[in-house]
């Protein structure tokens, strides 16, 4: 039996777009970039990359891309938010001043705080035990958000230093780190299976 490859989009306003494309292709997904609402048509899943959430929210505003993503998600499109993408996918951002007045996507019942692991200079890489993965996953943290609170219905897939760093709720996957900056694409594989 031949199953069609899942169609996965990568939000391409700013940030680590090419790296996610490469990781997704390496696990057999059909990948395309998304910059406007019409490009969401027919996608099984969408990756919201790391980068800068305030920049992405501002760039998305003129074409109403954030509410369009939310609407497509409500119709079934899966979401994978990494780092800045996690901030855009979280239902609550506890220090949201710089995002005030701009639409985000929401849907993931967590509270996050931006830049809570420190500055660019405090970036670090660590090996994480992730539920469902047999071997530890290398994870790169760059000005990452901390997941301060996880509400009912959110499954914690991985923790680091006492905080959840990878979570899942229904058809949403969230990670406070960059999983696309290493050659290990097992989290992308997990997402592609979720989206299928
Ligand atoms: N600090 C960034 C923000 O607030 C996120 C950093 C990242 O995605 N690596 O959007």
């Amino acid at each position: 039996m031949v199953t069609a490859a899942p169609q996965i989009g990568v939000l391409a306003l700013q940030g680590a777009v090419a790296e996610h494309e490469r990781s997704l292709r390496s696990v057999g997904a059909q990948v395309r970039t998304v910059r406007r609402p019409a490009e969401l048509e027919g996608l099984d899943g969408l990756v919201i990359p790391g980068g800068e959430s305030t920049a992405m929210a501002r760039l998305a505003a003129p074409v109403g891309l954030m509410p369009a993503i939310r609407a497509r998600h409500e119709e079934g499109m899966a979401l994978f938010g990494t780092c800045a993408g996690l901030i855009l996918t979280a239902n609550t951002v506890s220090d949201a001043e710089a995002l005030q007045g701009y639409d985000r996507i929401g849907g993931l019942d967590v509270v996050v705080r931006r830049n809570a692991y420190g500055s660019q200079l405090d970036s670090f890489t660590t090996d994480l035990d992730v539920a469902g993965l047999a071997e530890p996953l290398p994870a790169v943290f760059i000005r990452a958000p901390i997941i301060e609170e996880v509400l009912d219905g959110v499954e914690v897939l991985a923790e680091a230093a006492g905080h959840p760093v990878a979570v899942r709720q229904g058809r949403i996957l969230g990670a406070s780190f960059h999983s696309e900056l290493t050659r290990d694409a097992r989290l992308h594989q997990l997402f592609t299976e979720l989206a299928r």
Side-chain angles (χ1 to χ4, degrees):
M1 193 178 80
V2 181
T3 342
Q7 307 280 319
I8 309 290
V10 180
L11 181 68
L13 299 173
Q14 188 267 338
V17 176
E19 294 84 351
H20 273 295
E21 289 185 82
R22 184 205 63 204
S23 297
L24 288 163
R25 289 205 173 96
S26 79
V27 297
Q30 198 82 50
V31 187
R32 63 173 193 254
T33 53
V34 170
R35 293 186 183 81
R36 43 194 63 253
E39 291 164 343
L40 295 166
E41 198 54 48
L43 289 180
D44 300 307
L46 179 72
V47 171
I48 305 102
E52 181 50 54
S53 54
T54 56
M56 285 188 235
R58 281 165 175 74
L59 291 166
V63 290
L65 192 50
M66 295 297 168
I69 293 172
R70 191 185 312 141
R72 278 287 294 120
H73 169 64
E74 281 160 10
E75 291 165 7
M77 181 181 72
L79 299 174
F80 180 16
T82 63
C83 206
L86 169 69
I87 295 165
L88 294 170
T89 315
N91 277 345
T92 311
V93 182
S94 56
D95 55 334
E97 296 77 21
L99 289 159
Q100 216 84 67
Y102 292 93
D103 281 315
R104 294 183 303 106
I105 303 161
L108 180 62
D109 249 335
V110 298
V111 180
V112 300
R113 176 176 294 278
R114 298 177 55 229
N115 302 318
Y117 288 96
S119 74
Q120 193 87 15
L121 290 176
D122 303 308
S123 300
F124 63 100
T125 304
T126 188
D127 283 339
L128 293 175
D129 286 322
V130 181
L133 302 185
E135 303 289 330
L137 182 82
V140 185
F141 290 76
I142 306 169
R143 286 192 307 124
I146 270 188
I147 300 178
E148 293 187 316
E149 222 181 302
V150 162
L151 285 88
D152 278 354
V154 179
E155 183 190 355
V156 174
L157 301 180
E159 292 190 39
H163 286 279
V165 293
V167 293
R168 178 189 170 164
Q169 182 178 25
R171 289 176 63 72
I172 308 185
L173 195 62
S176 50
F177 53 89
H178 292 258
S179 58
E180 76 288 1
L181 296 181
T182 71
R183 292 276 159 182
D184 190 325
R186 285 175 296 154
L187 210 55
H188 292 84
Q189 173 96 54
L190 213 86
F191 177 63
T192 302
E193 281 160 16
L194 177 75
R196 197 187 280 279

